[in-house]
Amino acid sequence: MNSKTVHIKSFGCQMTKLDTALVTSALKEAGFSLTGSEKEADVVLINTCSVRRHAEQRVLSHLGNLKHIKQSRPEIVVGVIGCMAQRLGSELLEHDAVDIVCGPTQIPQIAEFVTQSLQEKKKTIAITEKIRRQTSKKQTLALEKFESVFDADDRQIPNQTFVRAMRGCNNLCTYCIVPYVRGPEISRPPAAIIEQIKRLADKGVKLITLLGQAVNSYKYTTCEKTYCLADLLQMASEIEGIEWIRFVTSYPAEKFYSEILKAMADLPKVCNYLHIPAQSGSDKILKAMNRNYTADKYLELLDKARDIVPGIAIAGDFIVGFPGETEKDFQQTVSLVQKARYKNCFIFKYSPRPGTTAEEKLQDTVSTEVKKKRNIELLAVQEKISDELSKEFLGKTVVVLVEGLSKKPHLNAKNGENRPQLVGRTATDCIVVFNGPTSLAGQFAKVKITKTSPLTLFGELA
Ligand code: 5AD
Ligand code: SF4
């Protein structure tokens, strides 16, 4: 047992959150204790994201603060882990505040690096030099071992957790940094995933979300058979205690698509929810993005999903202001959003990422103002649709898995009332806010919807 305390900050996507949970687990296992206070911690770790420049800037400005803290407490150890560590490598190590730089592939060694750094006060860097090369067997095994021991201790939301189905990505969308920071696609062995889910279920986990950058391309061949995501869903469904299963993110492609949708339709535990980013509604832009579909083909995939799984909730992602995007291209995106009728979508302004094909070969032609304007316009189009879809819930009773206290307690408050409220999500990922005891966190509850807004449903315990 050592008496040192660690504070971990996480900036980023679900993959990053999962890595944070794994690192937290590993450090606790090594005898460290966690602290919520950065000022008092002996070790500060920052888990990072490189998908957009803004995410990296937030980390850099945070490192600026840490530099000041370090001036009064030079003994603290600061580590940057994850995608930005992989991308910037030695450049980050030169930062006055930074002692450890550790890429996503090297996180199994994090406890070792932290211990070393505390003892020897020397800087450590561990990243992958040739990131697009197939990960070595040794590294894959280390990652697998690190990952599969993960159990429920570090659930950020009670009784639900992410489970990685795959690492890396092979799609090489021209704007995207992920393949260059997380390396090539590798599917985890189904037996390891299922074992892990069983252990999580034993600890009370009710909802698991299988993660992969293009999770529908999950494929693992053993001597007996080739497993696809539909097989994983089937096997996970058989685990007692697991009630809901989600998976994100899906790439719009035919491969395994019907099988996955059929599994969703046939298996009651598989949530009727699909996150399937289109990125653009213009065929010209989709081609420049190296997305291998047209807008019509994409809409056909959505039709198929709604055919096989009636009532399915669909979410999307879009990038506005990609190089060469004209007003006409953008209006095609608007039209696609109108046709797609997403439950919600995430809209991002294009951000050139160093080393990607788009950044190297295409000029960032769309001005910041135009990106901003298109972002606002697309959000408004989606908000109207989300609002209409939300209103369909009025008077209905939904089942939610309760996450805990709502961060915005005032939203559904009666006159002048300001007591805490609970927040939960339906199987289709709708956010529901209602009054109730905190003991419901991690449990299922039935809520009658009495009021709606585009992104939130409000109600009363039924
Ligand atoms: N600029 C803006 N958005 C991006 N995304 C990925 N790369 C970029 C980029 N360079 C968005 C995509 C993806 C989501 C996770 O982030 O929409 O689906
Ligand atoms: Fe990036 Fe495309 Fe892979 Fe998604 S599918 S992680 S956008 S390269």
Side-chain angles (χ1 to χ4, degrees):
M1 191 73 188
N2 73 57
S3 55
K4 300 288 184 192
T5 56
V6 186
H7 177 81
I8 309 186
K9 260 203 158 47
S10 193
F11 293 83
C13 65
Q14 288 141 330
M15 278 287 174
T16 308
K17 281 191 189 143
L18 173 53
D19 284 344
T20 299
L22 294 175
V23 165
T24 308
S25 247
L27 290 168
K28 276 195 195 159
E29 182 100 2
F32 291 94
S33 49
L34 272 274
T35 168
S37 157
E38 186 172 75
K39 289 208 172 84
E40 286 161 20
D42 300 304
V43 181
V44 177
L45 293 181
I46 309 180
N47 199 1
T48 58
C49 170
S50 286
V51 163
R52 280 168 292 277
R53 198 164 82 103
H54 178 66
E56 292 197 344
Q57 278 171 330
R58 281 173 61 208
V59 170
L60 290 173
S61 98
H62 196 73
L63 286 176
N65 295 343
L66 284 168
K67 190 174 144 184
H68 285 121
I69 297 185
K70 246 185 146 166
Q71 275 160 359
S72 53
R73 291 181 55 219
E75 70 283 5
I76 64 168
V77 164
V78 173
V80 180
I81 58 179
C83 295
M84 207 173 149
Q86 173 62 41
R87 192 180 86 72
L88 293 173
S90 51
E91 201 181 315
L92 263 181
L93 201 67
E94 279 166 25
H95 193 290
D96 288 341
V98 178
D99 301 290
I100 301 169
V101 173
C102 171
T105 318
Q106 286 75 19
I107 56 168
Q109 289 160 274
I110 190 67
E112 196 186 309
F113 296 152
V114 169
T115 307
Q116 246 173 31
S117 199
L118 280 165
Q119 283 165 359
E120 296 167 28
K121 276 277 124 232
K122 68 171 191 349
K123 292 200 175 210
T124 306
I125 179 163
I127 55 171
T128 306
E129 212 157 291
K130 297 223 159 43
I131 188 75
R132 290 301 301 160
R133 281 231 188 115
Q134 206 56 45
T135 319
S136 72
K137 265 215 170 89
K138 195 173 149 211
Q139 259 176 341
T140 306
L141 278 175
L143 279 168
E144 193 45 53
K145 196 168 151 229
F146 185 65
E147 183 119 30
S148 56
V149 296
F150 173 59
D151 61 25
D153 284 349
D154 296 299
R155 272 167 286 153
Q156 283 141 0
I157 305 178
N159 294 351
Q160 48 179 288
T161 190
F162 298 123
V163 173
R164 197 173 338 248
M166 322 163 66
R167 307 188 176 92
C169 187
N170 282 352
N171 282 306
L172 302 179
C173 303
T174 55
Y175 51 81
C176 186
I177 192 89
V178 169
Y180 307 101
V181 285
R182 292 207 169 250
E185 194 172 285
I186 302 177
S187 293
R188 293 181 62 205
I193 297 174
I194 296 303
E195 264 315 299
Q196 187 182 9
I197 300 176
K198 278 186 185 153
R199 262 184 300 114
L200 290 164
D202 287 344
K203 297 247 173 149
V205 169
K206 296 181 166 81
L207 160 64
I208 55 139
T209 304
L210 293 167
L211 292 187
Q213 304 294 347
V215 72
N216 49 330
S217 58
Y218 176 88
K219 192 172 152 201
Y220 193 94
T221 305
T222 65
C223 358
E224 292 119 45
K225 73 176 254 181
T226 294
Y227 292 81
C228 73
L229 184 69
D231 297 307
L232 268 191
L233 294 173
Q234 168 77 50
M235 292 189 291
S237 264
E238 286 162 14
I239 299 173
E240 210 178 307
I242 296 297
E243 301 289 343
W244 283 357
I245 304 161
R246 287 202 197 109
F247 57 89
V248 289
T249 297
S250 297
Y251 185 91
E254 284 286 358
K255 205 166 139 202
F256 304 133
Y257 190 65
S258 306
E259 286 91 329
I260 294 166
L261 291 169
K262 281 190 189 115
M264 194 185 276
D266 294 345
L267 303 168
K269 290 183 181 178
V270 178
C271 299
N272 293 353
Y273 170 79
L274 196 64
H275 179 213
I276 185 162
Q279 310 297 2
S280 171
S282 150
D283 291 346
K284 179 190 99 188
I285 298 296
L286 286 169
K287 192 153 186 244
M289 287 175 162
N290 191 33
R291 303 285 287 186
N292 297 302
Y293 52 85
T294 59
D296 283 347
K297 182 77 213 166
Y298 176 84
L299 287 168
E300 267 174 40
L301 291 174
L302 296 198
D303 285 345
K304 191 167 182 173
R306 290 182 165 125
D307 236 24
I308 302 178
V309 188
I312 189 172
I314 300 178
D317 289 0
F318 286 89
I319 296 176
V320 294
F322 186 80
E325 185 189 73
T326 60
E327 188 56 30
K328 186 173 154 218
D329 295 314
F330 172 66
Q331 288 308 324
Q332 289 171 343
T333 298
V334 169
S335 152
L336 187 141
V337 168
Q338 274 157 345
K339 289 179 193 152
R341 292 194 66 78
Y342 296 106
K343 173 182 92 70
N344 66 303
C345 60
F346 304 94
I347 301 165
F348 306 102
K349 298 188 276 291
Y350 172 68
S351 164
R353 303 315 295 135
T356 59
T357 313
E359 188 267 345
E360 283 178 353
K361 302 232 164 90
L362 306 170
Q363 278 221 318
D364 186 12
T365 49
V366 183
S367 68
T368 310
E369 289 72 51
V370 172
K371 283 179 188 166
K372 223 185 250 170
K373 183 187 125 306
R374 291 180 184 166
N375 190 349
I376 293 169
E377 185 176 337
L378 200 58
L379 272 173
V381 172
Q382 178 55 44
E383 189 171 303
K384 187 164 173 282
I385 298 165
S386 294
D387 197 36
E388 287 163 11
L389 295 177
S390 283
K391 286 206 168 89
E392 290 176 10
F393 283 95
L394 271 176
K396 291 191 178 145
T397 297
V398 296
V399 176
V400 297
L401 181 55
V402 183
E403 296 185 353
L405 285 177
S406 162
K407 288 197 186 102
K408 297 180 189 162
H410 55 282
L411 279 178
N412 195 30
K414 295 198 178 107
N415 286 342
E417 189 187 38
N418 195 15
R419 65 178 165 144
Q421 290 189 301
L422 298 179
V423 64
R425 280 177 200 252
T426 64
T428 53
D429 204 43
C430 291
I431 300 167
V432 182
V433 173
F434 58 101
N435 286 325
T438 45
S439 58
L440 275 180
Q443 309 299 320
F444 287 102
K446 280 188 181 161
V447 181
K448 186 168 181 203
I449 303 306
T450 53
K451 191 166 102 180
T452 67
S453 76
L455 292 179
T456 314
L457 307 176
F458 304 95
E460 287 155 13
L461 270 177

